[in-house]
Amino acid sequence: MQNTETTLPLRLWTVEEYHRIAAAGIFAVDERVELLEGKIIWMIAKGTAHRSAVGRTDYLLKNRLANLAWVSIQDPIKLNEMSEPEPDIAVVKVDPLDYADHHPTPPEVYLIIEVADSSLKIDCDTKAKAYSQAGITDYWVLDVTSRQLHVFREPTQLGYESAAILPEDATISPLAFPDLQILVLEMLPPVK
């Protein structure tokens, strides 16, 4: 019987191989890629609204969390041996070595935030699945186009059991910091 499957078998990469490829200089200096589920994917170009939202959220979290957590911007998080994405914002445990000897791993992550202007489907589907399978308990996607916050919680191997969409006038607290009240509007770029 002839195989009618159209999916091609892929050669997946490990995080260790991905690092060796980067160290060998295969990627151009200005090439923005990340490893997700063993696949090296292009990172989508970021517009001004995206940049503004990342900057505003970074400033907000660093000021309000002070020394309670480390806030990193577009730095790698090692989810497992096959995924090392670079989320727009990661709120992680404070490390005495400032993560000089490793990238944060799921037990060290309090919150991951992706900012979406043209990447909403990837962030809410592909990345949400990868983050859920890794056990990330609090994952947010800030949609700068629709001015909403997608909140994913209760991770399972099949995806998040809890998903909600909050309007810009809603307030939310990270699971790890329930006393921290954030107005969604505070993370979004100002409207002209």
Side-chain angles (χ1 to χ4, degrees):
M1 173 177 240
Q2 186 176 25
N3 183 354
T4 59
E5 176 127 358
T6 58
T7 305
L8 297 173
L10 297 176
R11 196 301 194 176
L12 302 178
W13 302 96
T14 67
V15 170
E16 182 182 327
E17 292 168 330
Y18 175 67
H19 285 220
R20 288 198 318 251
I21 291 168
I26 305 254
F27 303 125
V29 175
D30 61 345
E31 228 174 346
R32 293 186 37 91
V33 295
E34 62 186 342
L35 184 69
L36 195 61
E37 298 177 339
K39 301 171 198 136
I40 299 172
I41 59 173
W42 296 99
M43 295 173 73
I44 296 171
K46 296 164 180 11
T48 55
H50 182 282
R51 182 202 45 76
S52 174
V54 169
R56 290 171 62 85
T57 305
D58 174 44
Y59 184 79
L60 173 98
L61 291 171
K62 283 180 178 168
N63 281 328
R64 297 217 186 138
L65 289 172
N67 297 320
L68 298 175
W70 180 279
V71 180
S72 67
I73 304 301
Q74 299 166 344
D75 290 328
I77 299 290
K78 184 178 178 184
L79 297 181
N80 54 43
E81 293 307 314
M82 302 298 281
S83 292
E84 191 176 83
E86 297 181 18
D88 290 315
I89 297 170
V91 179
V92 300
K93 292 181 179 178
V94 174
D95 182 278
L97 298 176
D98 295 332
Y99 294 99
D101 61 344
H102 72 286
H103 295 307
T105 59
E108 297 167 309
V109 174
Y110 294 124
L111 169 66
I112 288 183
I113 304 172
E114 293 285 4
V115 175
D117 47 7
S118 60
S119 62
L120 185 63
K121 183 160 179 51
I122 292 168
D123 292 335
C124 288
D125 294 342
T126 307
K127 286 191 175 183
K129 181 180 176 189
Y131 290 137
S132 181
Q133 289 175 340
I136 302 299
T137 58
D138 209 2
Y139 172 52
W140 302 354
V141 177
L142 184 62
D143 179 355
V144 296
T145 304
S146 297
R147 301 186 66 78
Q148 300 173 326
L149 182 68
H150 297 251
V151 180
F152 299 91
R153 292 176 169 166
E154 300 174 30
T156 71
Q157 287 303 302
L158 300 175
Y160 286 97
E161 287 190 2
S162 172
I165 301 174
L166 304 179
E168 67 182 358
D169 62 351
T171 301
I172 186 164
S173 296
L175 290 174
F177 305 99
D179 294 336
L180 173 59
Q181 296 287 310
I182 299 171
L183 181 63
V184 173
L185 189 61
E186 293 177 287
M187 297 184 287
L188 290 165
V191 178
K192 294 178 187 179

